[in-house]
């Protein structure tokens, strides 16, 4: 679609200093820029929002014990995740349709590449896996358990052919989506009728409208990575959602099948995202996965699930020597990253934080978010007298009594271990 002449001749009338010093400032700029339903879709958690609130509040309960002297002049922030070397322990979590900016997932991929890290691409994304891998060869493709096995194999084959370096399976998603404050309106598709109906809300955010107008695009709410072979157009977001709702939930044997099938297709690593319990982490080991992400789906799954950072250390202690452990949920600053690494994570995944950067200033805004986190990580290492993130341990934190939530382990507080059989992966 050609750029309308009126937009091509107008310089951005809202141009301002694009740099921001914190993720909180990026969030505020995103709130002012985005139409209310779009912003609401980013911040909303499920039900009363208890889990999404705890994801952030829990980090504030953890303290640090800095040194007054003996600081290290040079500090190393690099690590590896699923075979990919990255310059800082932060990777981009896969998120659905990124209609906060015309370039969407491609802008995020370019920003991650510019800062030397991995991008995760949702199969509910608005940009194709081919486009995103072209922008960042360090791409992990993410899949939900949707459709039949033949369909899932086809999607894995496409991701591998495009150059994906790993697969992320996200299974922690339930029907618990009702929100006490009401869910934001997400249209089935953006057509003329929809634009007329939502025009009053969009008109209140002219900067967002201008950004799309100058590129000649309208927000795309379809999922190209779910398109059948030989077709370019995928289902709408709600079509994809319906496929997920009508697919029988996976068993642990299904997880093992998914991991083994991906390995046969690509030989590349496999991550299971959404682990909150020790017994589930042990089953993930049995299923042969390369990595797990300790996660509660950013507060969008079962409300009342503890913050991911509370569940991290017990899980890392139980399985951290058998697979890679990363964490996502509530990370907003570099010190949060350092706390997660001290608790046993190899790296963290961020979602809302980079989406706010994307909304605030496109690719440069995402780079800005990564720079903010990098600076915060470096400052924390400096203050604690460390020369590398590899030196981080729980003993370097001030951890209040009762902070950890050890779920699914004998004698733990919270859910007891489930005696169901543990899956065995195919060799």
């Amino acid at each position: 679609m050609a750029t309308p002449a009126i937009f091509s001749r107008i310089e951005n009338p809202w141009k301002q200093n694009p740099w921001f010093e914190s993720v909180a400032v990026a969030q505020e700029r995103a709130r002012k820029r985005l139409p209310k339903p779009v912003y609401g879709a980013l911040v909303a958690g499920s039900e009363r929002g208890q889990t999404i609130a705890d994801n952030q509040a829990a980090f504030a309960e953890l303290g640090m014990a800095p040194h007054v002297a003996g600081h290290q002049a040079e500090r190393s922030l690099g690590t590896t995740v699923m075979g990919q070397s990255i310059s800082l322990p932060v990777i981009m979590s896969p998120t659905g349709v990124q209609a906060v900016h015309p370039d969407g997932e491609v802008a995020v991929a370019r920003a991650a590449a510019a800062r030397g890290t991995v991008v995760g691409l949702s199969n509910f994304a608005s940009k194709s896996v081919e486009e995103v891998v072209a922008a960042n060869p360090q791409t992990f493709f993410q899949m939900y358990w949707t459709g039949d096995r033949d369909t899932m194999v086809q999607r894995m084959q496409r991701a591998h052919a495009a150059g994906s370096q790993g697969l992320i399976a996200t299974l922690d998603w339930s029907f618990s989506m009702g929100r006490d404050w009401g869910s934001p309106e997400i249209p089935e598709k953006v057509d003329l009728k929809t634009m007329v109906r939502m025009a009053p809300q969009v008109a209140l955010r002219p900067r967002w409208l201008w950004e799309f107008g100058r590129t000649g695009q309208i927000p795309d709410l379809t999922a190209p990575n779910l398109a059948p072979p030989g077709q370019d157009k995928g289902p709408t977001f709600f079509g994809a959602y319906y496929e997920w709702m009508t697919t029988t939930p996976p068993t642990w044997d299904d997880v093992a099948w998914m991991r083994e099938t991906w390995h046969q297709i690509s030989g590349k690593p496999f991550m299971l995202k959404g682990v909150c319990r020790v017994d589930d982490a042990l089953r993930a080991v049995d299923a042969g996965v390369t990595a797990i992400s300790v996660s509660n789906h950013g507060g969008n799954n079962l409300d009342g699930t503890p913050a991911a950072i509370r569940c991290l250390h017990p899980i890392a202690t139980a399985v951290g020597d058998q697979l890679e452990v990363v964490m996502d949920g509530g990370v907003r600053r570099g010190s949060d990253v350092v706390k997660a690494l001290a608790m046993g994570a190899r790296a963290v995944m961020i979602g809302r934080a980079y989406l706010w950067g994307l909304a605030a200033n496109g690719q440069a805004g995402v780079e800005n978010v990564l720079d903010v986190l990098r600076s915060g990580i470096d400052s924390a290492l400096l203050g604690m007298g460390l020369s590398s993130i590899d030196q981080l341990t729980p003993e370097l934190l001030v951890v209040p009594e009762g902070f950890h939530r050890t779920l699914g382990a004998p004698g733990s507080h919270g859910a007891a271990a489930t005696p169901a059989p543990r899956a065995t992966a195919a060799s």
Side-chain angles (χ1 to χ4, degrees):
M1 181 176 177
T3 303
I6 186 173
F7 287 101
S8 64
R9 293 197 301 266
I10 299 175
E11 184 179 356
N12 185 351
W14 299 278
K15 192 173 183 179
Q16 59 177 352
N17 179 7
W19 183 83
F20 45 82
E21 63 180 338
S22 70
V23 173
V25 174
Q27 180 180 358
E28 179 61 14
R29 290 191 184 179
R31 185 188 68 79
K32 292 179 178 179
R33 179 183 293 265
L34 296 174
K36 187 175 180 181
V38 179
Y39 180 74
L42 293 186
V43 298
S46 61
E47 298 183 339
R48 67 165 58 91
Q50 177 179 341
T51 294
I52 191 173
D54 194 37
N55 271 349
Q56 295 184 64
F59 278 108
E61 294 180 23
L62 296 171
M64 296 183 177
H67 284 288
V68 69
H71 299 154
Q72 304 300 307
E74 296 183 2
R75 296 161 296 282
S76 173
L77 275 59
T79 187
T80 61
V81 175
M82 297 214 301
Q84 296 299 301
S85 296
I86 54 179
S87 68
L88 77 167
V90 179
I91 64 180
M92 320 307 268
S93 186
T95 64
V97 179
Q98 295 177 9
V100 301
H101 188 275
D103 294 334
E105 294 85 356
V106 172
V108 175
R110 289 171 178 158
R115 294 301 182 264
T117 193
V118 165
V119 63
L121 177 70
S122 171
N123 64 352
F124 280 18
S126 61
K127 304 293 184 183
S128 72
V129 63
E130 291 81 8
E131 291 177 277
V132 170
V133 171
N136 186 344
Q138 289 186 294
T139 295
F140 295 157
F141 186 68
Q142 177 261 5
M143 288 177 56
Y144 291 100
W145 183 263
T146 61
D148 58 28
R149 285 193 173 189
D150 288 342
T151 300
M152 285 185 265
V153 169
Q154 175 268 315
R155 290 168 182 166
M156 292 184 204
Q157 290 172 334
R158 177 179 174 182
H160 171 57
S164 175
Q165 296 300 313
L167 188 73
I168 300 173
T170 301
L171 307 181
D172 65 323
W173 198 17
S174 72
F175 299 105
S176 180
M177 301 302 292
R179 299 179 174 96
D180 290 359
W181 53 91
S183 295
E185 179 184 4
I186 302 176
E188 174 73 12
K189 59 182 178 179
V190 180
D191 52 16
L192 181 60
K193 182 179 179 180
T194 301
M195 288 189 285
V196 170
R197 188 181 76 253
M198 302 189 74
Q201 296 187 71
V202 173
L204 295 174
R205 296 293 186 265
R207 284 180 290 182
W208 184 79
L209 178 62
W210 182 88
E211 194 71 45
F212 276 92
R214 73 178 182 84
T215 63
Q217 299 182 51
I218 59 174
D220 189 354
L221 302 183
T222 60
N225 296 304
L226 299 181
Q231 297 183 25
D232 295 328
K233 203 70 172 177
T236 64
F237 177 85
F238 286 102
Y241 188 80
Y242 177 78
E243 181 184 87
W244 164 70
M245 290 180 66
T246 54
T247 301
T248 302
T251 65
W252 279 102
D253 285 334
D254 290 326
V255 174
W257 170 85
M258 196 177 194
R259 195 282 308 172
E260 177 61 18
T261 301
W262 172 250
H263 179 75
Q264 291 176 351
I265 290 171
S266 70
K268 300 291 178 59
F270 180 98
M271 178 188 293
L272 178 63
K273 188 174 182 293
V275 177
C276 293
R277 299 168 53 110
V278 172
D279 51 355
D280 281 351
L282 292 169
R283 290 189 177 102
V285 172
D286 290 343
V289 311
T290 311
I292 59 173
S293 181
V294 178
S295 167
N296 51 43
H297 210 110
N300 280 302
N301 189 26
L302 292 178
D303 198 30
T305 304
I309 188 66
R310 298 188 191 277
C311 302
L312 174 59
H313 184 58
I315 290 173
T317 301
V319 301
D321 60 344
Q322 300 173 77
L323 44 68
E324 297 177 20
V325 178
V326 301
M327 190 222 79
D328 68 87
V331 174
R332 300 292 184 269
R333 47 192 59 82
S335 59
D336 294 342
V337 179
V338 166
K339 292 170 183 177
L341 269 57
M343 289 295 190
R346 179 181 291 256
V348 303
M349 304 174 78
I350 59 171
R352 290 181 177 91
Y354 77 72
L355 289 174
W356 289 326
L358 179 65
N361 195 28
Q363 176 183 336
V366 179
E367 294 174 6
N368 195 157
V369 165
L370 289 171
D371 290 343
V372 166
L373 295 179
R374 183 190 298 275
S375 176
I377 297 167
D378 187 65
S379 294
L381 292 182
L382 175 64
M384 290 191 288
L386 305 180
S387 61
S388 171
I389 58 174
D390 296 333
Q391 297 170 337
L392 289 164
T393 65
E395 292 72 29
L396 294 168
L397 301 181
V398 180
V399 184
E401 185 176 355
F403 177 84
H404 300 297
R405 301 291 186 270
T406 308
L407 308 181
S412 66
H413 296 291
T418 304
R422 286 157 61 178
T424 302
S427 59

